[in-house]
Amino acid sequence: MKKITTISICFVVATLAISCKKYLNNNSYFKDRLTLDKSFNNETYIEEWLANSYSFLMGINADVASKGFEPFNFGDDMYYGDRDGAYDPTNVNSLDYNKFSLGNYNEGFVQSWNQCYEGIRSATTFIQNIDQATVISSDRKADYKAQARFVRAYYYWLLLKKYGPVPILPEEGLDYTQSYADLALPRNSYEQCAEYIGKEMVQAARYLPQTRGQLDIGRPTKGAALATRAKAFLYAASPLMNGGKVSMDFKTALVDDKGNQLLSTTYDEKKWARAAAAAKDVMQLGVYSLYISPFKTSGTVTNPATVAPPFHAEYSNKQWPDGWANIDPFDSYRALFDGEVPASGNPELIFTRGQNQSSEGINVMVVHQLPRIASGWNTHGLTLKQVDAYYMSDGADVPGKGLEYGRGNGTQRVTGYVTDQDVAGGKYKPLASGVSLQFANREPRFYASVAYNGSVWHLTNESQVANREKQVFYYRGSGNGYTNTMFWLRTGIGVMKYVNPQDTYENGNIGKVVPKYEPAIRYADILMVYAEALNELNSSYNIPSWDSSQTYTIARDVAEIHKGIKPIRIRAGLPDYSEAIYANSALLRAAIKRERQIELMGEQQRYYDLRRWEDAATELTVPIYGYNTLMTSTQRDLFHQPVAAFALQSTFAPKMYFWPISIDELRRDARLTQNPGWQTYK
């Protein structure tokens, strides 16, 4: 194959917190033509090339961001109510929630395909040429090469989640002097893609360090590579990709240009064992643990004293990790996301892009969550289904859970409201006066995540003291309730996750929002991967570790499943599941799905989970419920009666399992096939 030995470098690297060193200043352009030999024997050019390979991870390829790039935060748990304007296929910002929910994915979003392959090509060139460098040490070369290998495999992981099976480019790259016909590549099968990602991540892990310092927090570690591998294997083991029967017509229709099926229609249990072993590889590193905040006997308004969970004989008097006697479950969860804990001080954070300060980063998402009194957009909210998923503080279901869908046990929702006397007597903490008792006595993650009607927003960065510590109601006419503008919550339920007590958007100043670290992959997710995969096994398997240093015996061992679930439950101040649930794989499967829905809310997991489980056709077709936002404060009983949200639509069609491939990409590659149900130009 003929190599291209001359390149024209003219790029600008997006802001990326992978180092304190600025790899490429926005005013610095390479306008000269450089040979690859020159490029890879100049330290500055080497680092800039690596930075360019990273740069495509930003924007639409972020894992957690606002909906301008990542609408996947919004499955049946979250939604956004702004951007209700006319559809413009040339403008990514024109995609509103309802259009997306109905499968109208515009060209702005599907460009993730091109951006990923740009990153793959850049990283491949780096991998092919870095060994010839003589200006950096062999250790740095090995680390840089491993970083590029991780980045390349991560792009494939992003593609696999969004588009399903994709073409894997040849290791030696493509000879762009050939004709389009000669350059055409078919889609690989899902299993081939997952295997490729797994092998590449093992190669990267061999040379990546165990940890990075704060200044290099956005660079991958050994754990980041192995964790991505575990997630890729989990998806490959899941029903949609592993013989599930719900979407069989879709699977048989998803083929390459030769008619070969790209999703397995036969079940292979060993894939679950492979996923469990991959998760155990991460656990065995001994680097990660769940973040916990210590128990506080006293506190402040913004960092209150610990509200201890209801007494439980098994957990209340034991120290972490066997119990919650010395931890603060609420703060342990809130501080993970609100910017309070630096990334280097968070033992749970496995991979992050750092403080994503892009135009659609997490800080922008928080602006859309903040109420109008903080100059926020007041448009990102939660569904009632998500709110009801959270447990009561003793681990029981909330009264009325699932009643609207015919899934409940007939129990009616709680009535009544918190009184001034209740607050003075310390009852129902942290609820303020006038709050519905439907929100009382809920688990700590609820209060860290849900901006319920009457919740208190601290807003300590507001310049005027009078504008701080504001109780916000979503009744019509309240200033934050229903209006004839876009600035209201369609369900009457807001989002508190990611919000720091200091945050405000006063005078449109994004600097008053505390920077947040993106939780792209965290340890709680890997623990649940381990538990979920083990639960699906009926046989025992011997699986070698990632480096072949040992062999795991992988089976449905309840003691091992406990390791993946019990710490998360205790950290949340909840008792572990009963042994009866652990003994029944169907009951435990349902419990794990619910635990993922709660623990990972707002982290772009639910959207994909529903699809890989083949649950989307059930969960995304039921109406979205919320509270009756047309009611005023004088009609508060009517407000708190659940109704279908008239402004939000929901549906699911099989074509929505994967994103459409753009017509332009189909024209470029004659062997590329479209995902079933989407338009093709052929």
Side-chain angles (χ1 to χ4, degrees), residues 7 12 16 23 55 64 81 117 140 169 211 238 241 255 383 427 453 528 555 594 646 678:
I7 58 170
V12 179
L16 180 63
Y23 281 147
S55 68
V64 184
Y117 276 109
R140 282 179 67 191
L169 299 187
T211 59
S238 298
M241 280 65 73
V255 296
T383 65
K427 293 184 67 176
N453 189 39
M528 286 187 285
R594 183 174 174 184
F646 65 87
W678 296 104

Side-chain angles (χ1 to χ4, degrees), residues 649-665:
Q649 300 180 26
S650 60
T651 191
F652 185 80
K655 72 173 187 177
M656 296 166 69
Y657 277 118
F658 295 128
W659 271 34
I661 301 169
S662 74
I663 299 299
D664 287 344
E665 295 299 334

Side-chain angles (χ1 to χ4, degrees), residues 14 31 40 64 153 209 215-216 230 255 263 271 305 345 363 368-369 405 467 529 577 605 620 625 644 655 673:
K31 296 181 180 178
F40 285 92
V64 184
L215 297 180
D216 287 321
V255 296
L263 295 179
K271 290 181 180 179
N363 280 20
H368 287 74
Q369 295 171 201
Y405 304 109
N467 292 335
V529 168
Y577 302 126
Q605 303 283 347
L620 298 182
Y625 275 84
K655 72 173 187 177
T673 52

Side-chain angles (χ1 to χ4, degrees), residues 388 392 396-415 438 642:
D388 285 352
M392 299 297 286
D397 286 346
V398 61
K401 179 183 183 296
L403 196 61
E404 295 74 33
Y405 304 109
R407 302 175 182 175
N409 57 14
T411 304
Q412 297 298 312
R413 294 183 182 273
V414 175
T415 59
Q438 291 184 27

Side-chain angles (χ1 to χ4, degrees), residues 23 89 166 200 232 276 324 374 424 541-542 593 678:
Y23 281 147
V166 296
E200 286 294 291
W324 54 63
Y541 300 88
N542 293 323
K593 288 180 177 182
W678 296 104

Side-chain angles (χ1 to χ4, degrees), residues 547-587:
D547 59 358
S548 299
S549 63
Q550 58 183 307
T551 298
Y552 304 132
T553 298
I554 303 295
R556 193 186 186 281
D557 182 333
V558 170
E560 287 296 305
I561 299 176
H562 273 289
K563 294 179 181 178
I565 297 176
K566 187 175 180 180
I568 294 171
R569 298 281 293 179
I570 293 177
R571 197 261 299 271
L574 292 172
D576 195 9
Y577 302 126
S578 69
E579 290 307 311
I581 290 178
Y582 275 101
N584 185 307
S585 60
L587 293 178

Side-chain angles (χ1 to χ4, degrees), residues 4 8 60 195 204 216 242-244 272 285 288 291 368 471 527 538 548 574 607:
I4 308 300
S8 177
I60 197 170
E195 277 286 339
D216 287 321
N242 189 20
W272 287 110
L285 291 176
Y288 304 106
Y291 172 81
H368 287 74
Q471 190 177 13
L527 290 178
N538 292 305
S548 299
L574 292 172
Y607 175 94

Side-chain angles (χ1 to χ4, degrees), residues 225-488:
L226 297 179
T228 306
R229 173 175 173 260
K231 288 179 68 65
F233 285 169
L234 178 78
Y235 276 53
S238 298
L240 179 63
M241 280 65 73
N242 189 20
K245 304 302 181 185
V246 173
S247 54
M248 191 59 71
D249 290 343
F250 176 83
K251 293 177 184 179
T252 56
L254 181 53
V255 296
D256 67 10
D257 62 319
K258 303 296 184 183
N260 300 308
Q261 290 182 0
L262 301 179
L263 295 179
S264 177
T265 56
T266 59
Y267 179 65
D268 182 359
E269 184 183 273
K270 190 175 181 180
K271 290 181 180 179
W272 287 110
R274 179 181 64 175
K280 189 166 187 174
D281 281 331
V282 182
M283 296 162 68
Q284 292 288 94
L285 291 176
V287 175
Y288 304 106
S289 61
L290 297 185
Y291 172 81
I292 55 99
S293 180
F295 186 95
K296 298 188 292 292
T297 56
S298 61
T300 63
V301 173
T302 56
N303 288 287
T306 301
V307 177
F311 179 79
H312 192 285
E314 177 66 21
Y315 307 108
S316 290
N317 294 323
K318 292 181 181 177
Q319 305 288 297
W320 171 262
D322 299 314
W324 54 63
N326 62 332
I327 68 171
D328 185 324
F330 166 78
D331 199 47
S332 294
Y333 190 77
R334 181 180 72 168
L336 274 172
F337 309 104
D338 70 358
E340 190 69 27
V341 182
S344 61
N346 184 352
E348 190 167 340
L349 193 59
I350 297 177
F351 181 57
T352 179
R353 289 162 180 77
Q355 294 177 350
N356 185 354
Q357 301 298 305
S358 73
S359 60
E360 291 294 346
I362 295 176
N363 280 20
V364 176
M365 185 162 68
V366 168
V367 167
H368 287 74
Q369 295 171 201
L370 290 170
R372 296 301 290 156
I373 58 172
S375 302
W377 284 59
N378 194 45
T379 55
H380 284 203
L382 295 177
T383 65
L384 187 60
K385 182 196 286 186
Q386 177 64 34
V387 169
D388 285 352
Y390 292 93
Y391 293 91
M392 299 297 286
S393 58
D394 61 359
D397 286 346
V398 61
K401 179 183 183 296
L403 196 61
E404 295 74 33
Y405 304 109
R407 302 175 182 175
N409 57 14
T411 304
Q412 297 298 312
R413 294 183 182 273
V414 175
T415 59
Y417 301 87
V418 177
T419 66
D420 291 338
Q421 291 78 13
D422 292 333
V423 174
K427 293 184 67 176
Y428 306 125
K429 290 182 178 179
L431 302 189
S433 182
V435 174
S436 169
L437 292 178
Q438 291 184 27
F439 309 127
N441 302 319
R442 302 297 288 272
E443 61 156 295
R445 289 177 298 186
F446 174 90
Y447 297 116
S449 303
V450 181
Y452 49 85
N453 189 39
S455 56
V456 174
W457 296 75
H458 299 299
L459 314 176
T460 61
N461 268 341
E462 283 280 332
S463 58
Q464 301 296 317
V465 175
N467 292 335
R468 304 171 191 169
E469 301 301 327
K470 291 292 186 179
Q471 190 177 13
V472 173
F473 289 97
Y474 301 118
Y475 300 119
R476 179 166 61 89
S478 69
N480 288 283
Y482 174 80
T483 69
N484 60 359
T485 69
M486 70 175 71
F487 305 109
W488 60 283

